[in-house]
Amino acid sequence: MAEEIKIQRFDEGVAQLEAIVKKLESGDLPLEDALQAFESGIGLVRVLSERLTAAEAQVELLTRGTDGSMRLQPMPREEDEE
């Protein structure tokens, strides 16, 4: 079963993903290791995509006020939604 992926910062996740891609592109990994690296990469892509979507929503909230002016409204945290 896949392990849960946790990253602190978006740029750290991107760096991890780049490292995985380099390993896979090298062609030096045994099949089992390549599959595991690929699975980890897919998990990172999903986590990073979710973070990017949340950031885009926050930017939209910042730039759209009901009166047309800019305002910041905090995004609900994932912990609040559960």
Side-chain angles (χ1 to χ4, degrees), residues 15-81:
Q16 289 176 17
L17 185 57
E18 288 173 345
I20 290 170
V21 169
K22 284 182 184 178
K23 283 183 191 177
L24 289 170
E25 287 179 340
S26 75
D28 295 333
L29 292 176
L31 179 61
E32 293 80 12
D33 294 343
L35 286 172
Q36 185 166 359
F38 182 77
E39 183 178 348
S40 295
I42 293 297
L44 271 170
V45 167
R46 288 183 179 139
V47 168
L48 293 170
S49 178
E50 289 170 5
R51 292 247 183 120
L52 187 56
T53 299
E56 288 171 346
Q58 188 171 2
V59 168
E60 185 173 332
L61 285 175
L62 173 65
T63 58
R64 285 191 184 177
T66 55
D67 61 354
S69 64
M70 290 180 57
R71 68 172 195 201
L72 179 60
Q73 195 174 10
M75 291 289 298
R77 297 179 148 232
E78 288 181 24
E79 300 88 39
D80 297 339
E81 295 176 359

